[in-house]
Amino acid sequence: MTTEPHAPSLARDAVDEANNPTVLLAAATTVVLWASAFIVIRGTGPFFDPGAMALLRMLVGAAVLGIIAAVKGIRWPARRDLPLTIAWGIAWFCVYNLALNTAETTIDAGTAAMLVNLAPLIVVLIGGLLGEGFPRPLLLGAPVAFAGVVLIGTASSTGDAALVGIVLALVAAVLYAGSALVQKRLLRTVDATTLTWIGATAGAVALLPWTPRMIDAVAHAPVSATLGVVYMGVFPTAIAFTTWAYVLGRTSAGRTAATTYVVPAAAILLSWLMLAEAPTPVMLLGGALCLLGVFITRMPSRRVG
């Protein structure tokens, strides 16, 4: 996935409204819903293999996004943007989910979190080179937040790691970063809601080969597990990706991606509240660093570069 060689600066695509209250609320919604997915996956993972879980989640997500798009009014992208939109959807909603879900069957969640959360740093670097520049708060805050993720990952690591899992987690990180940057480019010309719906639908279609496994899983899994995957389709997918697109359309890709460093901290809090899994002091310190790093990235500053 690449951008056009002479595409306008990403920084000029829209006025950066990072600290607008509505944008902050949308960002918070994305963070909380994405964090909740980690809690649900823990309970549904034993009953759905990576492909079956991804397919059911995306079928539900695409259906709900279709309703949202229909209510808001579908505005189809220009024909020249449709191939890239479909490719972006397959990469983000299909291949990324498969890579991450499969990685977490061979490596522990802490290692997976550390590797996948390289993505915001990649976005900051590539986004800066593509024209967003390098705001000092972003350059300072993103590494601080990542250090928090490393602490959380170290504290929750079991030491179980396989080379294939590590490679797949790194692939997921690259797909995450590339998808965020391509989505930022597409949002210049494609309506955010329509873009998300088309992408999710493309991802769901690409996952259809896992239909037999999904049907078998639904037939044998507890109703609670199936409802958990449905929840992920409605909220962490349809709702959270809609609010993600809203934020990405109004602030830089680097700053938007860095905001997701709050997700590990939110996941710790939700695990504590919902599963009575008390975090260790190291995990609490890591969560605090995540919050501090994201706070720093939201501070206004001139760009460097």
Side-chain angles (χ1 to χ4, degrees), residues 93-143:
F93 293 105
C94 171
V95 184
Y96 169 82
N97 278 329
L98 286 175
L100 181 58
N101 290 352
T102 306
E104 291 199 36
T105 65
T106 58
I107 62 176
D108 61 75
T111 302
M114 285 187 287
L115 294 173
V116 173
N117 276 285
L118 286 169
L121 293 178
I122 297 172
V123 173
V124 169
L125 175 61
I126 298 179
L129 295 174
L130 290 177
E132 290 188 349
F134 299 95
R136 287 187 178 87
L138 196 55
L139 290 177
L140 293 173

Side-chain angles (χ1 to χ4, degrees), residues 4-278:
E4 295 175 354
H6 302 292
S9 164
L10 288 175
R12 295 193 295 269
D13 291 346
V15 175
D16 194 324
E17 303 175 27
N19 294 315
N20 178 293
T22 305
V23 173
L24 290 174
L25 178 61
T29 299
T30 301
V31 164
V32 172
L33 292 180
W34 281 357
S36 73
F38 288 95
I39 311 303
V40 177
I41 288 172
R42 192 172 306 171
T44 60
F47 306 102
F48 287 84
D49 70 25
M53 180 186 293
L55 174 58
L56 180 56
R57 176 177 179 176
M58 290 316 305
L59 286 175
V60 174
V64 175
L65 282 164
I67 295 172
I68 295 173
V71 170
K72 293 190 66 176
I74 297 173
R75 293 186 288 276
W76 292 98
R79 184 176 299 179
R80 68 178 182 277
D81 290 322
L82 195 55
L84 182 59
T85 300
I86 293 173
W88 164 77
I90 293 173
W92 193 211
F93 293 105
C94 171
V95 184
Y96 169 82
N97 278 329
L98 286 175
L100 181 58
N101 290 352
T102 306
E104 291 199 36
T105 65
T106 58
I107 62 176
D108 61 75
T111 302
M114 285 187 287
L115 294 173
V116 173
N117 276 285
L118 286 169
L121 293 178
I122 297 172
V123 173
V124 169
L125 175 61
I126 298 179
L129 295 174
L130 290 177
E132 290 188 349
F134 299 95
R136 287 187 178 87
L138 196 55
L139 290 177
L140 293 173
V144 169
F146 180 69
V149 173
V150 172
L151 283 179
I152 293 171
T154 301
S156 60
S157 176
T158 63
D160 297 326
L163 179 60
V164 65
I166 292 172
V167 171
L168 286 172
L170 289 172
V171 168
V174 172
L175 287 168
Y176 174 168
S179 296
L181 291 165
V182 171
Q183 186 176 9
K184 180 67 177 178
R185 178 238 183 262
L186 287 169
L187 285 170
R188 295 206 304 262
T189 57
V190 184
D191 168 66
T193 303
T194 302
L195 172 66
T196 308
W197 168 58
I198 293 174
T201 301
V205 170
L207 287 163
L208 286 177
W210 280 267
T211 299
R213 292 187 182 182
M214 183 196 74
I215 293 173
D216 183 67
V218 171
H220 295 92
V223 173
S224 59
T226 300
L227 290 177
V229 180
V230 171
Y231 165 85
M232 289 194 291
V234 176
F235 294 97
T237 302
I239 304 301
F241 275 96
T242 297
T243 51
W244 161 272
Y246 178 85
V247 175
L248 188 59
R250 288 160 177 79
T251 188
S252 71
R255 186 169 282 177
T256 303
T259 301
T260 63
Y261 276 129
V262 177
V263 170
I268 289 174
L269 178 61
L270 290 175
S271 294
W272 195 356
L273 295 176
M274 299 175 65
L275 303 178
E277 294 180 348

